[in-house]
Amino acid sequence: MHKALRFLGWPTVAGLLLALLLIQLFPQWVDRRQPDLELRQAPALGIPSRGPVSYGDAVELAAPAVANLYTTKLVDKPSHPLFDDPQFRRFFGDNLPRQRRMESSLGSAVIMSPQGYLLTNNHVVAGADQIVVALKDGRETLARLVGSDPETDLAVLKIDLPELPAITLGRSDAIRIGDVALAIGNPFGVGQTVTMGIISATGRNQLGLNTYEDFIQTDAAINPGNSGGALVDAHGNLIGINTAIFSRSGGSQGIGFAIPTRLAQEVMEAIIAHGQVIRGWLGLEVQPLTAELAESIGLQGQAGIIVAGIYRDSPALRAGLQPGDVILAIDGEPASDGRRAMNQVARKRPGEAVHISVVRGGERLELKAEVGLRPPVAS
């Protein structure tokens, strides 16, 4: 050992010792992975993480703009079977006493403007004789129905109160799967409640809930009474109107659906301006073009939809469309999905023209149709 030290020299040995000491004190100088490891470690006690530890600010901003709805309507009670007996009616005639009963339901609504316009679901207020709006600040008032759109399950209400706390609108088209979402409403009538989850999916359709579907899916708990309430982001901005749940038990099972703010706002503005939503309409029924059917008519690998039926005196009939035609494109956009094609036409204003590319009997045709006004659907 002493010979080795004499061979290396004391300056070399001292340098080695100093290097070892520095490595012990400052390991990051030689291990470049160390900073990354430190970033992955849990924060020290008392040091907050990057995400918010509370959504209280978001709730404080949004909750005052979410109201509870109480609706009532009179319905006829089922009559006794004896009253329907022909012999009984022969003696007493049709002037039989009819009993009526009051039905009530619960829901939620969102204050969209300081002028008193509220958005809720159509199924919450459909057929209601009286709609009571209860605000978070304790005020109550009667609301009138401005109009409804059963095809998106939205309705617009109007109340007349001063200093209404309108909600802040968010960009529903900018949300991402995994974003935090808060559902605010009045589940089971217990009072205003906030639940938290994430955005599970966007653009959900073909659920059979509405004619026009473009749902946000969330696992934030949504229960009966939440319908018409607000789905907000982590900053308290409105991104959707809570509408429905998928449940086998009737309670929340982590699959809830909300109508995006963009669509809800378009419907509200149309109802306020026109009393209804103005949609384009061709008046035809379509079905998908399956791979087997496409092959049988010589359209292998070609996307399209088949005209299954045409309404009488409809724009489609006047344009020359026939059952059995295969629609390949509308205004140059491939018609690969019937619902998407219907939405494309619905966005047109009545009177506008659309160009439709079809195949009939192996021959390609170019037709032009003038879009009509879609007939209203009963609530």
Side-chain angles (χ1 to χ4, degrees):
M1 179 67 180
H2 291 290
K3 290 181 179 181
L5 291 175
R6 283 198 301 270
F7 176 77
L8 293 173
W10 284 109
T12 303
V13 173
L16 289 173
L17 292 174
L18 179 60
L20 290 172
L21 179 61
L22 291 174
I23 289 172
Q24 292 293 324
L25 294 175
F26 305 101
Q28 65 269 26
W29 288 2
V30 294
D31 188 356
R32 296 184 180 273
R33 297 173 299 171
Q34 188 65 25
D36 293 336
L37 291 174
E38 289 180 355
L39 288 175
R40 288 195 292 267
Q41 290 175 357
L45 186 63
I47 301 177
S49 60
R50 292 185 178 180
V53 295
S54 171
Y55 297 101
D57 291 340
V59 174
E60 186 175 347
L61 176 67
V66 182
N68 297 341
L69 292 187
Y70 304 93
T71 64
T72 57
K73 61 181 177 181
L74 285 172
V75 296
D76 291 329
K77 277 188 176 182
S79 59
H80 193 280
L82 180 63
F83 292 168
D84 297 325
D85 184 87
Q87 295 298 325
F88 186 87
R89 300 180 71 89
R90 178 182 174 186
F91 289 100
F92 293 94
D94 294 326
N95 299 321
L96 297 174
R98 289 191 174 271
Q99 293 184 327
R100 310 190 77 187
R101 59 186 173 87
M102 185 80 70
E103 279 190 356
S104 60
S105 62
L106 303 170
S108 306
V110 181
I111 303 174
M112 300 294 289
S113 73
Q115 290 74 34
Y117 289 104
L118 284 73
L119 263 178
T120 186
N121 288 140
N122 175 66
H123 74 261
V124 172
V125 297
D129 296 311
Q130 186 180 74
I131 306 170
V132 178
V133 177
L135 304 187
K136 191 174 186 298
D137 60 14
R139 290 183 290 176
E140 290 188 3
T141 186
L142 293 178
R144 66 177 177 88
L145 179 65
V146 178
S148 61
D149 182 40
E151 297 189 292
T152 55
D153 194 21
L154 288 169
V156 179
L157 306 177
K158 180 70 167 64
I159 60 174
D160 297 310
L161 287 176
E163 300 180 5
L164 289 172
I167 202 160
T168 304
L169 300 183
R171 290 185 54 196
S172 59
D173 54 350
I175 61 175
R176 301 179 301 168
I177 297 173
D179 285 353
V180 169
L182 307 174
I184 308 176
N186 180 25
F188 300 109
V190 299
Q192 191 177 88
T193 303
V194 182
T195 55
M196 187 196 77
I198 62 169
I199 302 298
S200 306
T202 58
R204 287 289 194 225
N205 55 40
Q206 299 185 12
L207 302 175
L209 299 174
N210 301 333
T211 304
Y212 297 96
E213 296 179 339
D214 182 21
F215 289 118
I216 300 169
Q217 182 181 327
T218 178
D219 66 347
I222 297 175
N223 287 290
N226 272 109
S227 294
L231 186 71
V232 303
D233 61 21
H235 305 288
N237 303 314
L238 182 72
I239 57 175
I241 303 294
N242 298 324
T243 296
I245 58 174
F246 177 84
S247 174
R248 299 186 187 279
S249 64
S252 175
Q253 292 185 337
I255 303 179
F257 301 103
I259 300 170
T261 302
R262 175 188 54 78
L263 175 59
Q265 189 175 10
E266 290 174 0
V267 170
M268 182 185 73
E269 291 173 354
I271 289 175
I272 293 174
H274 308 290
Q276 64 174 342
V277 180
I278 306 296
R279 292 190 177 95
W281 181 68
L282 287 178
L284 50 82
E285 296 178 352
V286 298
Q287 66 184 44
L289 177 65
T290 63
E292 294 80 6
L293 189 55
E295 184 177 357
S296 69
I297 58 178
L299 293 174
Q300 296 93 330
Q302 179 72 59
I305 51 179
I306 302 174
V307 178
I310 298 178
Y311 289 89
R312 187 178 302 171
D313 298 327
S314 65
L317 185 65
R318 291 192 292 271
L321 281 164
Q322 298 178 9
D325 287 349
V326 179
I327 299 177
L328 302 179
I330 299 176
D331 279 345
E333 189 171 324
S336 57
D337 178 79
R339 186 174 293 273
R340 188 177 302 169
M342 182 179 66
N343 290 341
Q344 181 185 355
V345 173
R347 289 193 294 269
K348 298 286 186 179
R349 303 291 297 180
E352 290 186 30
V354 293
H355 298 272
I356 307 171
S357 301
V358 305
V359 171
R360 180 187 301 162
E363 181 183 359
R364 183 155 181 160
L365 304 173
E366 298 294 332
L367 303 178
K368 182 179 179 181
E370 181 179 305
V371 176
L373 173 64
R374 182 175 176 84
V377 176
S379 300

